[in-house]
Amino acid sequence: MTELLDDRPVTLRTVLIVSLTSLAIFLGGMSSGYFLARSEYLPKTEARDKVVNEIKQKVEQLPQQINRDIQEDQKR
C-alpha cells in the first residue's frame, strides 16, 4: 500500500496546478454571476432612478410653486 503512495508523490507542481485551476473556475463563476445579476437588475435600477429623478424635480420646483401660490393669494 505504501508503495502506491511513493510511486506518485504529490509535488509542488501538482498542488500549484490544482490550486490555480480551482481559482480560475471560482473567478469565472464569480464574473458570470456578476454579469447575470447585473443584467437582471439593471432595468429595475434604471426605472427606480427615473422615478427618483422625477421626485427630485418636483421637490425642487415646490418652493417656486409655493411662492407663486402665496403671491396669488396676496393679490386677492
Side-chain angles (χ1 to χ4, degrees):
M1 185 80 155
T2 58
E3 295 170 358
L4 292 175
L5 294 176
D6 290 337
D7 287 343
R8 294 198 59 150
V10 177
T11 62
L12 182 60
R13 176 184 262 171
T14 305
V15 170
L16 187 62
I17 289 172
V18 170
S19 299
L20 289 176
T21 303
S22 299
L23 180 64
I25 291 170
F26 174 75
L27 291 176
M30 290 255 321
S31 64
S32 67
Y34 167 76
F35 287 115
L36 178 67
R38 184 171 179 235
S39 68
E40 193 172 308
Y41 291 109
L42 188 61
K44 293 178 185 177
T45 57
E46 287 177 347
R48 181 198 65 211
D49 291 344
K50 181 179 176 184
V51 170
V52 167
N53 287 334
E54 289 174 359
I55 292 171
K56 281 183 180 179
Q57 288 176 353
K58 289 179 181 179
V59 168
E60 289 173 356
Q61 292 174 359
L62 193 59
Q64 295 170 357
Q65 182 66 33
I66 291 173
N67 288 336
R68 276 188 245 138
D69 292 342
I70 290 173
Q71 289 175 359
E72 288 178 10
D73 287 344
Q74 288 175 352
K75 288 179 182 179
R76 292 182 190 177

